[in-house]
Amino acid sequence: MIAHICGKVVEKFGSSVIVDVGGVGYEVTVTGLEYERLVLETEVKVYTYHSVREQSEELFGFMNLAGKRLFEMLITVQGIGPKAAMAILSIGESEVVRNAIANEDAVFVAKAVGVGKKSAERVIVDLKDKVGLALAYDKKEQVELVGRGDEALEALMALGYNIGDAMKALEGVDEKLGTAERVREALKAR
């Protein structure tokens, strides 16, 4: 299993990038949002999901661990394969998608290319209790993002916490503390 790769983005095409790691180019399929952000000739760390099927092997890449974990949850839903999961993650930041699922917003999830109303509803039913707590949410306005880009949140997820448990562990921890200190405090409160 390839958990992550670090290297230079040398090519971009379709919905994939090629990351050169020590002279070996890895083709990685990324979400539309991440594709736009990735710049040629820059060094990146990409968390990967290695999909092995009878006829193919593919790497799906994510710029943060939260996106990878949400992808892994999405592909457990019947009828949602890796490509549909990537389409769902392409409609917004992983935290926005997670929050939409937690708030049971099937209309938002159904905006993904190739994902119909029934599939979106199945995603909601299967994952709403697994993705964690819903945050303040207004379907007409924007989603309030709490924890977006939070290194302490990602560190707890790297230790095996799911998104919801990691957010809950950090609830009472002062956000002004450094990342390591916030993780320590969250682990103590456990």
Side-chain angles (χ1 to χ4, degrees), residues 3 11 25 63 73 105 136 146 155 159 169 190:
E11 290 183 52
M63 300 312 294
M73 283 189 235
D105 189 355
V146 177
L159 292 171
R190 186 171 176 241

Side-chain angles (χ1 to χ4, degrees), residues 88 91-93 96-97 100-101 105-112 120 137 143:
I88 292 169
I91 58 177
E93 298 285 343
V96 172
V97 174
I101 293 168
D105 189 355
V107 173
F108 181 81
V109 176
K111 289 180 182 178
Y137 192 74
V143 177

Side-chain angles (χ1 to χ4, degrees), residues 151-171:
E151 291 179 1
L153 182 70
E154 290 198 16
L156 289 172
M157 290 173 57
L159 292 171
Y161 282 70
N162 67 35
I163 295 170
D165 291 342
M167 289 178 67
K168 191 172 183 179
L170 288 168
E171 273 180 358

Side-chain angles (χ1 to χ4, degrees), residues 9-182:
V9 177
V10 293
E11 290 183 52
K12 291 173 69 172
F13 57 93
S15 61
S16 298
V17 295
I18 295 181
V19 180
D20 186 300
V21 181
V24 177
Y26 290 92
E27 181 178 341
V28 183
T29 301
V30 294
T31 67
L33 297 171
E34 291 172 341
Y35 182 86
E36 295 300 321
R37 288 188 190 129
L38 290 170
V39 178
L40 290 174
E41 301 302 318
T42 58
E43 294 287 325
V44 295
K45 177 178 183 178
V46 181
Y47 294 95
T48 58
Y49 178 84
H50 187 191
S51 174
V52 179
R53 296 191 172 202
E54 195 171 309
Q55 298 295 321
S56 68
E57 287 189 46
E58 293 180 273
L59 283 178
F60 294 92
F62 312 90
M63 300 312 294
N64 59 52
L65 198 52
K68 179 181 177 180
R69 295 292 183 237
L70 186 54
F71 173 85
E72 290 171 335
M73 283 189 235
L74 285 166
I75 61 175
T76 65
V77 176
Q78 181 182 352
I80 303 294
K83 294 212 187 314
M86 291 302 275
I88 292 169
L89 289 171
S90 291
I91 58 177
E93 298 285 343
S94 59
E95 181 58 23
V96 172
V97 174
R98 185 206 68 77
N99 200 37
I101 293 168
N103 280 289
E104 302 180 37
D105 189 355
V107 173
F108 181 81
V109 176
K111 289 180 182 178
V113 176
V115 177
K117 182 181 176 189
K118 289 190 182 224
S119 293
E121 289 170 351
R122 191 176 307 122
V123 166
I124 300 299
V125 168
D126 287 2
L127 299 182
K128 70 180 176 186
D129 295 329
K130 296 178 184 173
V131 295
L133 303 172
L135 303 176
Y137 192 74
D138 183 342
K139 293 179 184 180
K140 293 179 183 171
E141 298 291 324
Q142 278 188 313
V143 177
E144 287 182 37
L145 295 178
V146 177
R148 181 174 163 189
D150 188 342
E151 291 179 1
L153 182 70
E154 290 198 16
L156 289 172
M157 290 173 57
L159 292 171
Y161 282 70
N162 67 35
I163 295 170
D165 291 342
M167 289 178 67
K168 191 172 183 179
L170 288 168
E171 273 180 358
V173 178
D174 185 4
E175 292 183 21
K176 294 176 184 170
L177 296 172
T179 301
E181 193 60 33
R182 288 184 67 214

